[in-house]
Amino acid sequence: MTSYTLSKASPAKTRADAVVVGVVRTEQGPRLAAGAEDVAAAYGRRLHPLLTTLGVTGDEGETRLLPTADGITSPLLVLVGLGADGAERDPAAVRRAAGAAARAATNAATVALALPADDAALVTAVVEGWALGGYRFTAYREETRSEDTRAPEVVVLSAAARRADVQQAATDAEVVARAVAATRDWVNTPPVDLTPPAFADAVVAAHKAATKGRGAPKVEITVHDETSLAELGCGGILGVGAGSSAPPRLVELSYAPADAVAHLALVGKGITFDSGGLSIKPGGSMTTMKCDMAGAAAVVQATLAIAELGLPVAVSAFAPMAENMVSGSATRPGDVLRIYGGTTVEVSNTDAEGRLVLADALVRATEREPDVILDVATLTGAMVVALGDRISGVMGSDDVVADVVAAAGGAGEAMWPMPLPPEMKERVRSSKVADLAQHDWVRWGGGLFAGAFLREFTDGRPWAHLDIAGPAFHSGGATGHLTPGGTGAAVPTLVAYARHLAATRSTV
């Protein structure tokens, strides 16, 4: 595990195997960013011609390694592009640059980060970016057993290193980064090794690790197996899991600090593999469907992070887990399922299964009478068509949606508000045989239909639905702080939203 410390030391005088500095693009050419002033001074007039000769532009994500000049203690300088002039004040740009730098300085045992870091937001970005940009999932690779995988010691250089808020920001950023990395690990695990029972066991193990030891937070956990789910009447979870030999689960977590000023319910979709069921997916569409449990992974890890941070917000988290498979016992199009609480749903597309497991969990969440409910799910391909693979859609109560989008922006995640037009309610209630229609095969507005369907199970409470179908899994090469595979999408936003609740409710 990487060790982070803060220091006011000069980058040029810091002893480390490598010093990382930012570069910004200006009309006059590239220049070193804030935080690297004494490095620039050490090179003097040689710097600009050197950068030009090396082809350095300062473009976002660009990296270069070069030996240092006289007057710089470290033997290696790592240059990383921040983008256009002004990007050095943007935490999102700094986070991406730190992530790119983490992959460039791979052989250094000690690293000094001389990126823009003169306030708490920038320090958070530096720590999170470095930690997540260097993430690798190696559990199934031979190198895990044969290579020295020790993480480097990292010094974050900041003129504000002695300020209490900056020190707290660095500590908190490590907590969030660990939660994101743990979410990535679960999402990246092959589905044969993360069936619903195995996923529930993994959550129990994570809970045990997070709550053991003196001073650890108290978080309660309950696991409902298939027998308990039947007794409760969770027809959505049971119906989706009916075709699999691996039975479904529902994991519930509860964090209730004595000083809580608000109560937040988190619900996450946990489909450990989605074949589409009898409405089977094309083969090419199944290859990344191990990521269909990313919502459940996110709410579990966010809950444990909120508890570790000691935020004065009670959290009730619900992670319904099922495997959507094909067999003679699978739910059929035309079947009617009875959701927890009694609402009946006509199934017309077994590949729209996520909303069924969420329905059970949402009703369970309303029974806790939270102030706000957030659900997180890789729910619809329609949202990816609408917003692409880097932006999550958010819909629900207007004020909650606005606060979630704002929290996401501060946490370095891209989210966009989406509407729930009145006609969607008519479509959701169009079934001729049940209370609700799960799907209606209308080509347009599939993501909005799904959101309107989920709203039926929120009991009118303040609520937002986060559709992370695009951002939850990164199929391309590493970029910024994103690495191939699971991204840990929504974890930083959920923690940031809990902070927002704590801050706003404590002043009421």
Side-chain angles (χ1 to χ4, degrees), residues 239-240 242-244 277-278 324-332 335 350:
V240 172
S244 174
L278 292 177
N324 190 23
M325 299 294 279
V326 178
S327 75
S329 61
T331 292
R332 299 155 175 79
D335 283 351
T350 63

Side-chain angles (χ1 to χ4, degrees), residues 152-213:
E153 295 179 8
V154 177
V155 178
V156 179
L157 302 177
S158 170
R162 294 177 185 170
R163 278 172 34 190
D165 65 321
V166 169
Q167 294 172 357
Q168 190 63 54
T171 300
D172 292 356
E174 290 187 62
V175 173
V176 173
R178 284 198 302 269
V180 173
T183 303
R184 291 180 178 184
D185 284 347
W186 281 343
V187 174
N188 288 330
T189 300
V192 69
D193 291 333
L194 202 75
T195 60
F199 190 11
D201 289 345
V203 174
V204 170
H207 166 267
K208 182 178 181 180
T211 57
K212 72 177 181 181

Side-chain angles (χ1 to χ4, degrees), residues 286-357:
M286 290 190 208
T287 55
T288 61
M289 282 299 101
K290 65 181 182 180
C291 81
D292 218 15
M293 38 60 69
V299 302
V300 168
Q301 288 296 337
T303 300
L304 296 177
I306 290 166
E308 183 176 353
L309 293 169
L311 299 183
V313 176
V315 181
S316 299
F318 302 82
M321 303 170 179
E323 188 176 45
N324 190 23
M325 299 294 279
V326 178
S327 75
S329 61
T331 292
R332 299 155 175 79
D335 283 351
V336 174
L337 303 177
R338 189 176 297 276
I339 302 302
Y340 177 79
T343 300
T344 57
V345 176
E346 181 184 10
V347 177
S348 58
N349 179 3
T350 63
D351 194 24
E353 81 299 327
R355 64 199 69 178
L356 298 173
V357 302

Side-chain angles (χ1 to χ4, degrees), residues 90-228:
D90 179 7
V94 172
R95 184 180 283 103
R96 292 191 293 268
R103 294 187 297 277
T106 54
N107 295 320
T110 55
V111 178
L113 303 181
L115 293 167
D118 60 359
D119 64 27
L122 290 172
V123 166
T124 295
V126 170
V127 173
E128 289 181 357
W130 179 273
L132 297 175
Y135 169 88
R136 298 177 67 205
F137 183 68
T138 60
Y140 292 80
R141 300 179 69 94
E142 182 66 26
E143 63 191 83
T144 304
R145 298 182 292 275
S146 62
E147 289 188 3
D148 183 354
T149 57
R150 287 178 297 179
E153 295 179 8
V154 177
V155 178
V156 179
L157 302 177
S158 170
R162 294 177 185 170
R163 278 172 34 190
D165 65 321
V166 169
Q167 294 172 357
Q168 190 63 54
T171 300
D172 292 356
E174 290 187 62
V175 173
V176 173
R178 284 198 302 269
V180 173
T183 303
R184 291 180 178 184
D185 284 347
W186 281 343
V187 174
N188 288 330
T189 300
V192 69
D193 291 333
L194 202 75
T195 60
F199 190 11
D201 289 345
V203 174
V204 170
H207 166 267
K208 182 178 181 180
T211 57
K212 72 177 181 181
R214 190 172 183 178
K218 184 178 181 181
V219 181
E220 302 294 334
I221 185 168
T222 302
V223 179
H224 297 285
D225 63 12
E226 65 272 30
T227 301
S228 177

